[in-house]
Amino acid sequence: LTRERYPVRRLPFAQVSEDDLAALERIVPGRVITDPEELEAPNVDWLRTVRGSSKVLLRPRTSQEVAHILRYCHERNLAVSPQGGNTGMVGGSVPVFDEIILSTTLMNQVMSFHDVSGVLVCQAGCILEELGRYVEERGFLMPLDLGAKGSCHIGGNVATNAGGLRFLRYGSLRGTVLGLEVVLADGTILNCLTSLRKDNTGYDLKQLFIGSEGTLGVITAVSILCPPKPSAVNVAFLGCPGFAEVLQTFSTCRQKLGEILSAFEFMDAECMKLVELHLRLASPVRESPFYVLIETSGSGAGHDAEKLSDFLEQVLGSGLVTDGTLATDQRRIKMLWSLRERITEALSRDGYVYKYDLSLPVERLYDLVSDLRARLGPRAKHVVGYGHLGDGNLHLNVTAEAFDVSLLGALEPYVYEWTARQRGSVSAEHGLGFKKRDVLCYSKPPEALQLMQQLKALLDPKGILNPYKTLPARA
Ligand code: FAD
Ligand code: MLT
Ligand code: ZN
């Protein structure tokens, strides 16, 4: 699967021997997995577009065990692919060849939670949704949320600098992550697991590892700031007659809802068709060319309801919105969110998915979708646009019955060139992983690429950590 679609050659790392297996067994007794059946799933990515051939998966429980593993692999020149929930969208979480898979599945302990500051410290393998439940029981909220919450790990979220559905309100993990513990390629434990809001002592090293996709170190623990859980949450799901109206609804929303706005997501009619077809979900509003999901989170139900009704009156009255529904109870809120969150799942049931995750000037966000629909014609099964409109982040997805090299040729580099002309980003939130490493140059100058290569060489001189990922292959 991998090598036919993506030309890449194995680098001269050592191969895992019987002696290596015995040594690893001494480090993580009973947690060295070599059963081919058990290795099937962790070798394939969520989208089923890339497949590795690793014969060993390790399940450490502690940072010390991770350190021992990496010290050993570094000495032996064995390549390692760190893996969290394996929900990544760019083929970064699975081996390309026979790299050892280092899974954080058993590193799932909460280490501390402070109910005044809201600072949570936990191991990297904690599942996002479980952390959400843990902090919500204590009156707080995780500052990030995404459709993959049921399986993704907080370590994987930090390693990809995941954006998601709450970015508009709580910002990037670069702001909410206060500290990290990381094991470097040679097994050194770097303990920067502080819980301080302010700390200007020297370079902020944790930032290097946030979004580094397992290429600079293995994140073993995370300290993260959780905001208080809002007492009033409302979700409005609205239909808009055109993209210009979506944009005007967004502007009105910012003016009218101001500080209580916590999400502004959009999806087009094709997305709705796919969730109806593949997931049997029903649209709660009349058919429209576009839909927006607006969430408010505040501290006073009465105050928020008043603001929301004022906003709805304006957008419905002016024709920006043609139909809408409002939810205030948890069950219905969840139902409305699932229409947006489960688009990824619906797409993957539609066929092979060509997935693009772009940052663009918000006014031009949908132009590329319309442009591609015309460019591809019947060659594509569906061309859809959805995403985090409030953050200027478009998810452009194209589906086809099967992978087709000529369709790929019509999409790339066209999509990347189009994005670069707008001075956008070719990866807004998913990272580069294995599938997009060669397009980094569309969003960063050569000097930045060179410095990235130098940092990689400094932190991982043998290149054993997640090889073939994030940085382009050297010329
Ligand atoms: P994995 O997929 O296992 O790994 C991702 C990358 O991080 C790999 O390069 C891996 O090597 C590295 N890695 C994992 N753990 C560690 C560690 N402890 N130390 C160092 N490196 C590590 N992404 C968004 O940004 N926003 C979204 O809204 C969003 N929604 C999604 C919805 C669905 C349905 C799905 C399937 C995915 C979605 N994603 C989204 C993509 C994905 O869920 C995120 O990238 C997520 O943060 C990955 O976490 P994970 O634990 O699954 O990591
Ligand atoms: C989303 O916002 O739904 C995710 O980033 C996943 C995707 O792009 O499909
Ligand atoms: Zn997204």
Side-chain angles (χ1 to χ4, degrees), residues 435-455:
K435 288 159 66 176
K436 305 220 167 137
R437 65 176 179 149
D438 287 320
V439 300
L440 172 55
C441 57
Y442 288 97
S443 293
K444 290 283 155 47
E447 296 77 13
L449 258 76
Q450 199 188 349
L451 190 54
M452 289 185 203
Q453 302 274 18
Q454 286 166 343
L455 284 168

Side-chain angles (χ1 to χ4, degrees), residues 238 248-249 251-253 255-256 306-321:
L238 313 172
Q248 284 183 57
T249 303
S251 299
T252 313
C253 196
Q255 276 161 14
K256 294 268 172 194
E306 202 177 304
K307 284 191 139 188
L308 203 51
S309 83
D310 188 26
F311 159 75
L312 288 173
E313 201 175 304
Q314 177 156 343
V315 290
L316 281 161
S318 60
L320 293 179
V321 165

Side-chain angles (χ1 to χ4, degrees), residues 89 145-147 163-165 265 340 344 357 386-388 391 393-395 428-430:
M89 300 268 97
D145 184 24
L146 32 122
L165 310 165
E265 297 284 321
R340 162 63 187 87
T344 317
D357 162 38
Y386 60 100
H388 317 287
D391 310 318
N393 182 181
L394 169 71
H395 291 314
E429 58 171 12
H430 294 163

